[in-house]
Amino acid sequence: MRNLLLGLLLAAPLALAAPPKLISAEDFGDAWPFVPEEMHLQCLPGNAVVVTDPETGRMYGLNGAASGKARQLGLEPLENVWAESTSIPGTKASVGSVIEAGTKLCD
């Protein structure tokens, strides 16, 4: 019974979240910051912006609110799907435009 209650508590933030929105490299063009061509974008309670790889089901946090709940939500490290910058070698692509789109889902 205790394990069941713990599972329900951990799943509660996902149950309260707005449905995910499918986004793609086609939508963002050169500003696409991920290796997979498509991701599900979602805003979870507390304005935690996350993306989920539709092929693997793995979820990644994009903003500070999501990072703060990484353990609770079972988030994977963003580095696993974060693309290299094409304009600045040795750095990662900006996720700013995706965070901005995700934040709009929080409203």
Side-chain angles (χ1 to χ4, degrees):
M1 182 65 154
R2 185 175 144 184
N3 287 342
L4 175 63
L5 290 175
L6 181 61
L8 291 173
L9 286 173
L10 291 175
L14 299 178
L16 298 173
K21 176 183 177 183
L22 184 65
I23 58 173
S24 70
E26 185 177 310
D27 300 332
F28 286 81
D30 291 339
W32 184 248
F34 307 113
V35 174
E37 292 293 313
E38 293 182 327
M39 295 291 246
H40 284 120
L41 179 64
Q42 194 168 20
C43 180
L44 303 179
N47 295 330
V49 179
V50 299
V51 289
T52 304
D53 184 337
E55 289 186 20
T56 65
R58 291 191 172 117
M59 187 182 298
Y60 307 90
L62 296 182
N63 63 356
S67 295
K69 297 179 180 184
R71 186 175 216 171
Q72 176 187 1
L73 297 172
L75 302 180
E76 299 284 332
L78 182 60
E79 289 75 20
N80 294 351
V81 294
W82 202 355
E84 295 290 324
S85 172
T86 56
S87 58
I88 307 172
T91 64
K92 297 291 189 179
S94 173
V95 293
S97 58
V98 179
I99 292 173
E100 185 177 323
T103 302
K104 289 178 183 174
L105 299 175
C106 297
D107 298 332

